[in-house]
């Protein structure tokens, strides 16, 4: 992949982190948009199941937007098609960084892993919400199609990631800090799993036999994020735990580690904001 593609993929991934770990108080007047910049540090495996970890720092943009349809905030970047007191229908997006096979021992001699972009509908079902709307428990049901980020993008299947989400705004005893927790299984079709875990016969070696990945269960994922908005800047971070035990591809020779911890921290400074104020209701 060209260096410019890697840069933009990294920037978008960082923006996703900055959006997620930054927070806004529920049911409060906020600027329609905010822009800023900052820095983030990440620690991620080369891919889910890899025994190698990538640690890196990079500059990140900060952008929040609270429009009627398009929203970008600590819950990510999304478009809202339908919004009721209990059920929301939105657009879900996700990104994953590229991985060079020259740097990944398990994939030596195999094609590089391109960065991927996922997009699709998401239904959110609210089970409980506090009277002031500062705390809630939701079931998130995103179904996304994945594409490689390259000159000629390739469709690499779909991902279904139902998860339970609990958000606590303004944690008791920790004024202004926001806590978000997510947990749920992942599922993918054959093309999605084959992209990461299949080994074609021409790439088979003595310690990496040919393998054909199947569709189905892809493990569990748990995430905790903590953030706080100060007058002129945001600060936050997250920790994610993945467990691939029981997945349909756990016996792939490319799965070298069945559980791992990933994470990141970010700080961004607010450089400008809209004079238009809107009611933000999480």
């Amino acid at each position: 992949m060209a260096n410019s593609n890697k840069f933009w993929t990294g920037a978008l991934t960082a923006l996703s982190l900055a959006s997620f770990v930054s927070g806004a108080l529920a049911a409060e007047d906020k600027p329609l948009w905010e822009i800023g910049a900052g820095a983030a540090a990440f620690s991620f495996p080369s891919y889910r199941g890899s025994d190698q970890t990538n640690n890196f720092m990079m500059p990140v943009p900060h952008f929040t937007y609270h429009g009627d349809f398009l929203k970008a905030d600590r819950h990510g970047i999304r478009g809202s098609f339908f919004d009721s007191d209990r059920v929301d229908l939105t657009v879900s997006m996700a990104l994953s960084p590229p991985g060079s096979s020259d740097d990944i021992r398990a994939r030596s001699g195999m094609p590089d892993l391109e960065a991927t972009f996922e997009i699709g509908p998401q239904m959110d079902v609210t089970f409980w919400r506090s009277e002031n709307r500062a705390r809630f428990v939701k079931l998130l049901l995103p179904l996304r199609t994945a594409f490689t980020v390259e000159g000629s993008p390739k469709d690499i299947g779909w991902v279904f990631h139902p998860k339970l989400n609990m958000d606590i705004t303004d944690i008791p005893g920790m004024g202004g800090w926001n806590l978000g927790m997510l947990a749920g299984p992942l599922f993918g079709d054959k093309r999605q799993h084959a992209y990461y875990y299949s080994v074609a016969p021409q790439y088979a070696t003595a310690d990496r036999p040919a393998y054909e990945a199947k569709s189905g269960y892809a493990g569990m994922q748990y995430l905790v994020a903590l953030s706080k908005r100060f007058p002129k800047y945001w600060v936050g971070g997250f920790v994610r735990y993945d467990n691939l035990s029981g997945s349909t591809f756990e016996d792939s020779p490319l799965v070298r580690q069945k559980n791992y911890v990933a994470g990141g921290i970010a700080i961004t400074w607010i450089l400008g904001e809209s004079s238009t104020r809107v009611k933000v209701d999480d």
Side-chain angles (χ1 to χ4, degrees):
M1 170 176 289
N3 290 334
S4 59
N5 279 352
K6 289 185 178 180
F7 172 81
W8 287 112
T9 300
L12 288 170
T13 303
L15 175 59
S16 297
L17 168 64
S19 297
F20 187 86
V21 301
S22 62
L25 295 179
E28 183 180 0
D29 284 337
K30 287 286 182 179
L32 175 63
W33 55 261
E34 293 177 335
I35 59 172
F42 302 91
S43 178
F44 281 106
S46 299
Y47 57 89
R48 295 183 71 235
S50 173
D51 59 354
Q52 292 179 246
T53 300
N54 295 324
N55 302 309
F56 56 97
M57 294 186 64
M58 66 181 301
V60 297
H62 171 97
F63 177 67
T64 62
Y65 185 77
H66 303 291
D68 292 335
F69 172 74
L70 179 65
K71 302 178 188 296
D73 54 25
R74 68 191 176 98
H75 303 295
I77 302 171
R78 64 203 188 279
S80 180
F81 289 106
F82 175 79
D83 187 357
S84 74
D85 191 52
R86 292 294 175 183
V87 179
D88 304 328
L89 181 61
T90 65
V91 173
S92 172
M93 290 179 279
L95 293 157
S96 66
S100 171
S101 293
D102 291 338
D103 301 324
I104 305 173
R105 292 184 297 269
R107 296 186 59 88
S108 178
M110 295 183 65
D112 293 341
L113 292 174
E114 303 291 352
T116 65
F117 171 69
E118 300 173 8
I119 187 169
Q122 173 173 305
M123 180 175 289
D124 301 345
V125 181
T126 301
F127 292 148
W128 172 83
R129 181 186 287 123
S130 63
E131 188 173 341
N132 66 355
R133 306 179 78 89
R135 297 165 174 79
F136 60 76
V137 177
K138 292 183 178 183
L139 176 64
L140 312 182
L141 299 169
L143 177 63
R144 299 187 295 263
T145 299
F147 302 90
T148 58
V149 180
E150 54 185 325
S152 299
K154 298 176 185 176
D155 179 352
I156 55 170
W158 57 263
V159 178
F160 179 50
H161 186 13
K163 48 201 171 185
L164 197 62
N165 173 208
M166 174 181 286
D167 260 34
I168 301 174
T169 300
D170 203 11
I171 303 171
M174 298 176 62
W177 285 94
N178 304 315
L179 175 67
M181 295 175 284
L182 294 165
L186 291 90
F187 302 89
D189 69 355
K190 185 174 181 178
R191 283 179 299 160
Q192 169 68 200
H193 293 170
Y195 185 71
Y196 292 99
Y197 305 108
S198 284
V199 179
Q202 64 267 36
Y203 301 118
T205 65
D207 60 350
R208 189 179 63 201
Y211 181 83
E212 185 174 350
K214 300 181 289 292
S215 63
Y217 178 64
M220 286 288 294
Q221 195 171 89
Y222 309 84
L223 186 145
V224 177
L226 189 66
S227 66
K228 183 175 180 176
R229 165 67 188 269
F230 293 88
K232 293 297 182 181
Y233 64 95
W234 304 95
V235 63
F238 75 93
V239 176
R240 192 183 81 193
Y241 171 72
D242 272 61
N243 190 314
L244 275 62
S245 297
S247 63
T248 59
F249 50 78
E250 69 172 327
D251 55 346
S252 166
L254 298 178
V255 174
R256 300 295 178 91
Q257 187 169 287
K258 294 183 182 179
N259 56 80
Y260 64 88
V261 175
I265 56 174
I267 180 169
T268 60
W269 284 266
I270 311 304
L271 303 178
E273 64 180 40
S274 168
S275 59
T276 303
R277 313 291 288 190
V278 295
K279 182 74 72 177
V280 175
D281 187 355
D282 289 347

